[in-house]
Amino acid sequence: MELLTLAIAALTAIVVAAVLSRRTGIATPLVLLVIGIVVSLVPSTPEFSLEPDWILLGALPPLLYATAVQVPVVDLRRSLGMITWLSVTLVVASALVVGAAVHLVVPEVSFAAGVALGAVVSPTDAVAATAIGKRLGLPHRLMTVLEGESLFNDASALVVLRTALLAITAGFSLGDAVLDFLRALGLALVIGFAVGHATVWLRSKLADPVLMTAVSFIVPFLAFLPAEESEASGVVAVVVAGLVTGHHGARRFTARERLTERTNWLTLQFLVENGVFLLMGLQVEGLLRDLDESNSTFGEVLVVAALVLGVLLVLRTAFVAVQVLAFRRQQPKLDAMRERLSLISDRVDSMAEEPRVAGERGQRRLSQFRRRVQRGQADVDYQESEPITARGGAVLSWAGMRGVVTLAAALTIGTDVDERTLLITVAFVVAVASLLLYGGTLPLLIRSLGVSGVDPDEERDEVVDLFGDITGRASDALGPIDRIVIDGQRIDPGVAAEQLGWLERIEERRGDTTPEALTLASQRMLLHRHYISLMRDALHEEQAIGAYSTGALARASALIDAQELRLER
């Protein structure tokens, strides 16, 4: 009964915090963090003990999966260099520099233990940052970098943490550490890719939104647990499985199935990610009590935490600045790249008339090559339209908030490590201070710098152009209205002309659907379904090319889904 009461109280707190967040503009995780801290300091509050496995095994896989499913692969690919730079290189550098700085200030903390602390505080938590960014309309590329960084930096941090803890007890070998990292990464990629494709195939055969969603709830753990048992990175495996599912699910699942799954996952994600921030705040009283029982003082904790925060901010600013300068140096090369791609495109068009590519196989290979050229041209347009500017770099530098994964990872430090209580408490103070400091001032920074996303009117015009392109492709794929054949059945030209002119109108819903005797109503239904399928294929093609923005692609997908749902009704 007591556990049920606490669960209801936590759920109520989450809902209340969400309402306050919408009215005050403060991110929900920050509100819940403060609520948790205040409640933990009340004398009658029961003690809450956070087990690392609750977060690292229970909460982290579904949260990573829910985020990865929503991240477009094409956008991730275009920003992969910066994401890798921040999620791998910056994490390793932060762990080493923080370790050296802490060891210098507090000699009782060994360098390896300091590196362990650095690994714990190095990964960012994008929940609060993306919540603020979406509400204030940050450019899509900045959002992609924030989300992509948070998807992969946990894996880097956990590998560095494991290496540092091993160095404390068994010594350190750079070669072994690098090989361990590469092995963990490679095996995780294979497991995540296999699980993603296998579960997409399985769910496409179920044809039941409820069953599909139920299966989707276990996908993160199907990827995470085998990877961890194989000593690979479970985090990377989950992210890859989510990316594969999100990319292929748009074509393999129906609109109703995707809508049902999205609603359920959004609810689960809302409860879990906000619940862990509430739980994080509730740890304050227990950590303070453990600190009193140790040899460390709260003043010492504050000094070390301030040092760590300063080091992390300087390193993050420097690493982001490197990428901003790299983007500036890249801009003059884009014109030359565009001209080279234009010449290649002209050459491809001229090859279409050559006899050696006149056959079906030759035309198919030529079409694939033309698609690669179009993708390259779209990449150049994207680099020009959404550069990482100095203002955007300032936002990325200030968005280095740490979250509950930092505290959970800190709790995995064994009792055989000297100054364990000091390390855990410093990690907690760093996480809380970064959330309150950066999260509380990030909206002001975004407004003062004038960083904004796509203009709504421009996006609306882009959606109109995109929808015109995909409907045109669908009509071309359908062929002349007097020669349309679907599933072996010839469609009456009158029905085709009427239906293609009024796609939203379905006058009749029933009829004989056998190939021998299709009624006019069932012909309309069959034609409409086929046309929607062709539109979705065309949209998937546009997503692969990437000429349109993610916002426009998402809105066009929603319009197609709406037509499919209306057809079902």
Side-chain angles (χ1 to χ4, degrees):
M1 181 61 72
E2 180 180 0
L3 183 61
L4 178 61
T5 303
L6 292 176
I8 295 174
L11 181 60
T12 303
I14 292 173
V15 174
V16 171
V19 174
L20 290 175
S21 174
R22 294 172 183 175
R23 293 187 177 182
T24 61
I26 303 174
T28 304
L30 302 183
V31 177
L32 286 166
L33 180 64
V34 173
I35 291 176
I37 293 174
V38 172
V39 171
S40 71
L41 297 177
V42 176
S44 59
T45 302
E47 179 182 349
F48 290 89
S49 178
L50 178 63
E51 293 293 334
D53 288 348
W54 293 359
I55 305 300
L56 299 180
L57 300 181
L60 188 58
L63 288 180
L64 290 173
Y65 177 83
T67 302
V69 168
Q70 302 300 323
V71 176
V73 175
V74 64
D75 289 344
L76 199 65
R77 174 179 61 81
R78 286 167 170 170
S79 299
L80 188 60
M82 187 170 191
I83 290 172
T84 304
W85 177 253
L86 296 178
S87 62
V88 179
T89 312
L90 177 57
V91 166
V92 175
S94 298
L96 295 175
V97 176
V98 167
V102 172
H103 176 61
L104 182 64
V105 174
V106 187
E108 294 83 4
V109 177
S110 66
F111 174 68
V115 172
L117 173 63
V120 164
V121 299
S122 59
T124 57
D125 188 305
V127 172
T130 53
I132 294 171
K134 289 177 181 178
R135 186 174 66 250
L136 298 179
L138 274 181
H140 180 76
R141 185 164 199 174
L142 295 185
M143 298 296 298
T144 300
V145 172
L146 286 173
E147 291 180 337
E149 179 191 6
S150 68
L151 285 176
F152 291 102
N153 59 15
D154 290 335
S156 304
L158 293 176
V159 171
V160 175
L161 174 61
R162 183 170 60 189
T163 303
L165 295 178
L166 184 63
I168 295 175
T169 58
F172 173 74
S173 170
L174 178 61
D176 291 342
V178 173
L179 290 177
D180 180 58
F181 178 79
L182 294 178
R183 176 187 173 278
L185 179 62
L187 189 56
L189 291 174
V190 173
I191 293 175
F193 190 80
V195 170
H197 278 281
T199 53
V200 166
W201 175 83
L202 173 63
R203 292 165 61 194
S204 66
K205 303 299 181 182
L206 294 177
D208 186 331
V210 176
L211 291 178
M212 285 188 59
T213 304
V215 172
S216 74
F217 285 152
I218 65 173
V219 173
F221 303 101
L222 287 177
F224 186 86
L225 295 177
E228 288 295 315
E229 288 296 324
S230 305
E231 296 186 354
S233 173
V235 170
V236 173
V238 171
V239 171
V240 172
L243 292 174
V244 170
T245 302
H247 183 67
H248 292 284
R251 299 184 68 181
R252 303 292 295 273
F253 305 152
T254 67
R256 184 174 299 281
E257 290 166 346
R258 289 197 307 276
L259 179 62
T260 302
E261 180 183 16
R262 176 176 173 78
T263 302
N264 290 334
W265 266 106
L266 284 175
T267 303
L268 180 64
Q269 184 180 15
F270 169 77
L271 294 176
V272 173
E273 70 185 13
N274 287 298
V276 294
F277 278 97
L278 177 63
L279 188 59
M280 181 177 177
L282 293 172
Q283 303 302 304
V284 169
E285 194 275 335
L287 289 173
L288 292 177
R289 186 181 61 255
D290 293 341
L291 186 64
D292 290 337
E293 297 173 357
S294 68
N295 297 326
S296 303
T297 63
F298 191 65
E300 184 180 16
V301 169
L302 291 180
V303 170
V304 177
L307 172 67
V308 172
L309 276 171
V311 170
L312 292 175
L313 179 59
V314 170
L315 286 175
R316 184 172 180 85
T317 302
F319 272 67
V320 171
V322 169
Q323 287 294 310
V324 172
L325 293 176
F327 274 108
R328 286 186 176 181
R329 290 196 299 267
Q330 184 186 25
Q331 293 304 312
K333 302 177 183 178
L334 294 179
D335 291 336
M337 190 179 301
R338 184 190 302 279
E339 184 176 353
R340 186 162 60 250
L341 288 170
S342 178
L343 293 176
I344 295 175
S345 178
D346 293 340
R347 174 58 179 159
V348 171
D349 291 339
S350 64
M351 290 175 59
E353 305 299 329
E354 296 182 6
R356 56 177 176 158
V357 295
E360 180 179 349
R361 182 179 179 183
Q363 289 296 321
R364 184 169 60 252
R365 295 181 62 182
L366 196 64
S367 176
Q368 293 174 349
F369 195 76
R370 183 182 287 113
R371 175 179 169 183
R372 294 196 190 103
V373 174
Q374 292 174 339
R375 182 185 299 172
Q377 292 172 331
D379 288 346
V380 173
D381 293 338
Y382 181 82
Q383 298 295 340
E384 288 184 339
S385 63
E386 294 211 33
I388 301 294
T389 63
R391 293 182 178 183
V395 172
L396 289 177
S397 300
W398 200 250
M401 288 167 273
R402 273 65 186 173
V404 72
V405 174
T406 291
L407 180 58
L411 292 174
T412 63
I413 298 176
T415 56
D416 56 336
V417 177
D418 294 335
E419 304 296 333
R420 176 180 185 269
T421 302
L422 173 64
L423 298 179
I424 294 176
T425 310
V426 168
F428 178 82
V429 172
V430 168
V432 172
S434 66
L435 283 168
L436 297 179
L437 175 62
Y438 299 147
T441 57
L442 188 60
L444 178 62
L445 178 66
I446 294 173
R447 294 191 186 98
S448 62
L449 293 177
V451 180
S452 59
V454 180
D455 181 79
D457 293 334
E458 293 181 2
E459 185 175 81
R460 191 158 43 244
D461 294 339
E462 189 180 14
V463 172
V464 172
D465 294 339
L466 171 59
F467 214 74
D469 282 349
I470 61 178
T471 53
R473 287 192 183 189
S475 297
D476 292 341
L478 197 62
I481 61 174
D482 58 343
R483 293 198 298 271
I484 297 177
V485 178
I486 304 174
D487 294 338
Q489 176 64 42
R490 183 176 180 274
I491 302 299
D492 184 271
V495 172
E498 176 188 2
Q499 190 66 10
L500 293 178
W502 304 95
L503 285 175
E504 291 87 359
R505 196 180 81 188
I506 300 294
E507 296 177 344
E508 299 174 86
R509 295 183 298 177
R510 297 183 181 276
D512 185 359
T513 58
T514 59
E516 293 78 10
L518 283 174
T519 65
L520 295 180
S522 60
Q523 287 190 49
R524 294 190 188 100
M525 186 77 72
L526 182 62
L527 179 62
H528 198 164
R529 289 186 186 278
H530 187 62
Y531 195 82
I532 288 175
S533 176
L534 294 176
M535 289 175 65
R536 197 171 299 286
D537 290 341
L539 178 64
H540 188 76
E541 181 78 10
E542 290 293 347
Q543 288 174 329
I545 294 173
Y548 290 94
S549 68
T550 299
L553 292 167
R555 293 183 64 178
S557 178
L559 289 172
I560 297 175
D561 287 347
Q563 288 207 25
E564 184 177 334
L565 292 172
R566 185 174 182 178
L567 183 62
E568 288 185 6
R569 288 193 295 268

